[in-house]
């Protein structure tokens, strides 16, 4: 059996699920979602709850909570493995690109699994897994109807936790100028684009892009309803994404065969991470903009 210890927010949990799904399909073995990490660290402000219940997969998912004791130690083991470039520790695997992992029928995954190559062969199946379980509410339905009638372009701007504490030094933050260059690139290929802005700081975005006339600033989804922003992004014709797994999935779920997706060239500030990020997370059809 393939087991994945879920952690992180919605986008990360989707990467983890997709990876476990693909490995299980490849080896024709069952897989389970382990909620131990969320149980152990539930009281921590930084620990996100299980969020995949918004998708169709939830009704048939297999769950376990077998590794509560292990996850208390795994955090340290994970840091050790990364520091010394090790890919595994006992039966726990940390790099889904590891060839031995791709061949095993029994593994416990504990990583953010942000490598789309692992599951790209199962795209059509995963689109069904990640179909939204519930119909949109009235406000979101109005926006969905508008999005389908225009040359819609989602623009996702992540601020929030990227500007605080250690994250401020770790994560790259695309500038306002970067987004304007991305929009200029869109306008070379798309007639009369209408931009739909999504962010965890819409007032800031509205101020910085107040001059964009053909724009809608989406400010109706918060907290547990934030997943609706991903639904709206995926319905757009084209996508300008942040270095965020949330908007990455918004673009990946977009089924427009002619979509243009523009992504920042960096995820982290460390230059050493650039090539790995582009190789593992950016499909060749997408545009990487410096």
């Amino acid at each position: 059996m393939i087991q994945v210890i879920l952690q992180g927010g919605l986008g990360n949990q989707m990467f983890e699920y997709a990876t476990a799904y693909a490995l299980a399909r490849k080896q024709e073995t069952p897989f389970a979602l382990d909620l131990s990490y969320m149980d152990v660290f539930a009281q921590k402000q930084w620990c996100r709850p299980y969020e995949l219940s918004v998708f169709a997969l939830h009704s048939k998912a297999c769950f376990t909570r077998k590794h509560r004791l292990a996850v208390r130690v795994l955090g340290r083991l994970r840091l050790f493995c990364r520091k010394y470039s090790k890919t595994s520790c006992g039966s726990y695997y940390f790099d889904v690109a590891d060839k031995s992992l791709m061949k095993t029928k029994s593994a416990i995954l504990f990583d953010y699994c942000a490598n789309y190559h692992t599951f790209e062969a199962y795209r059509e199946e995963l689109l069904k897994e990640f179909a939204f379980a519930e119909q949109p509410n009235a406000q979101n339905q109005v926006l969905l109807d508008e999005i389908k009638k225009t040359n819609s372009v989602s623009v996702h701007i992540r601020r929030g936790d990227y500007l605080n504490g250690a994250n401020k030094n770790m994560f790259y933050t695309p500038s306002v100028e970067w987004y304007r260059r991305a929009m200029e690139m869109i306008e070379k290929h798309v007639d009369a684009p209408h931009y739909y802005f999504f962010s965890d700081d819409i007032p800031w975005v509205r101020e910085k892009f107040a001059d964009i006339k053909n724009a809608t600033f989406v400010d109706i989804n918060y907290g547990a309803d934030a997943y609706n922003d991903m639904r709206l992004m995926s319905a757009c014709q084209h996508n300008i994404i942040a270095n965020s797994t949330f908007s990455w999935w918004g673009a990946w779920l977009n089924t427009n065969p002619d979509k243009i997706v523009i992504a920042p060239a960096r995820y982290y500030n460390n230059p050493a991470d650039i090539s790995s990020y582009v190789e593992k997370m950016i499909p060749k059809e997408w545009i990487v903009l410096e």
Side-chain angles (χ1 to χ4, degrees):
M1 172 177 280
I2 306 296
Q3 299 175 64
V4 57
I5 301 174
L6 293 177
Q7 59 176 320
L10 179 60
N12 287 321
Q13 291 179 38
M14 292 172 73
F15 267 111
E16 293 152 17
Y17 179 91
T19 299
Y21 180 96
L23 294 180
R25 282 281 284 109
K26 184 177 178 63
Q27 298 303 327
E28 298 182 342
T29 189
F31 75 100
L33 308 180
D34 191 302
L35 304 184
S36 298
Y37 187 90
M38 296 167 180
D39 288 347
V40 170
F41 299 111
Q43 302 306 314
K44 301 293 185 180
Q45 185 177 6
W46 43 261
C47 183
R48 299 282 290 274
Y50 173 72
E51 298 186 30
L52 298 179
S53 58
V54 301
F55 297 118
L57 65 88
H58 175 74
S59 64
K60 56 181 181 297
C62 177
F63 296 94
T64 182
R65 286 177 159 87
K66 291 182 178 179
H67 302 93
R68 295 184 186 183
L69 178 61
V71 298
R72 296 180 184 276
V73 182
L74 271 173
R76 294 183 180 276
L77 292 180
R78 188 172 183 224
L79 290 174
F80 174 85
C81 289
R82 286 191 170 182
K83 181 177 180 180
Y84 295 101
S85 301
K86 296 181 182 297
T87 58
S88 65
C89 185
S91 60
Y92 294 88
Y93 290 81
F94 296 86
D95 185 352
V96 295
D98 181 59
K99 291 182 179 179
S100 63
L101 174 59
M102 300 302 289
K103 297 178 181 179
T104 186
K105 290 191 175 184
S106 179
I108 301 171
L109 308 178
F110 184 67
D111 205 333
Y112 289 118
C113 303
N115 184 346
Y116 84 96
H117 296 288
T118 309
F119 55 78
E120 63 179 333
Y122 302 98
R123 174 174 170 78
E124 295 305 316
E125 295 175 32
L126 286 168
L127 286 174
K128 296 177 181 178
E129 296 290 300
F130 291 132
F132 291 94
E134 302 292 337
Q135 293 299 310
N137 62 24
Q139 285 182 300
N140 280 281
Q141 187 61 58
V142 168
L143 277 176
L144 278 172
D145 293 339
E146 291 178 3
I147 283 170
K148 294 174 182 179
K149 294 176 182 177
T150 65
N151 286 332
S152 51
V153 183
S154 72
V155 182
H156 183 236
I157 300 176
R158 180 167 178 173
R159 287 172 55 77
D161 60 337
Y162 275 18
L163 306 179
N164 302 321
N167 286 346
K168 184 175 182 179
N169 296 322
M170 181 183 300
F171 291 100
Y172 170 68
T173 305
S175 65
V176 171
E177 290 70 26
W178 183 88
Y179 281 101
R180 290 187 179 275
R181 287 191 289 116
M183 287 188 282
E184 289 174 1
M185 186 173 291
I186 288 287
E187 287 164 14
K188 291 179 180 178
H189 303 281
V190 179
D191 293 331
H194 188 100
Y195 298 103
Y196 289 83
F197 286 89
F198 301 87
S199 179
D200 51 7
D201 191 353
I202 281 293
W204 184 91
V205 173
R206 194 189 301 272
E207 175 187 345
K208 297 300 181 183
F209 295 92
D211 59 306
I212 306 297
K213 304 303 180 184
N214 50 336
T216 298
F217 299 91
V218 181
D219 60 356
I220 60 174
N221 299 310
Y222 298 96
D225 295 324
Y227 73 91
N228 281 297
D229 279 358
M230 184 184 292
R231 187 206 307 261
L232 295 171
M233 285 191 281
S234 70
C236 289
Q237 293 295 306
H238 311 285
N239 311 94
I240 298 173
I241 70 172
N243 50 321
S244 160
T245 57
F246 188 87
S247 54
W248 188 97
W249 280 103
W252 196 84
L253 294 177
N254 179 354
T255 57
N256 174 19
D258 301 315
K259 68 184 177 185
I260 298 171
V261 179
I262 301 177
R266 287 188 282 167
Y267 201 95
Y268 299 101
N269 282 319
N270 186 351
D273 294 325
I274 294 176
S275 61
S276 178
Y277 152 66
V278 173
E279 175 190 351
K280 292 183 177 181
M281 285 190 67
I282 306 301
K284 63 180 183 300
E285 300 86 3
W286 295 12
I287 297 170
V288 175
L289 181 62
E290 291 284 354

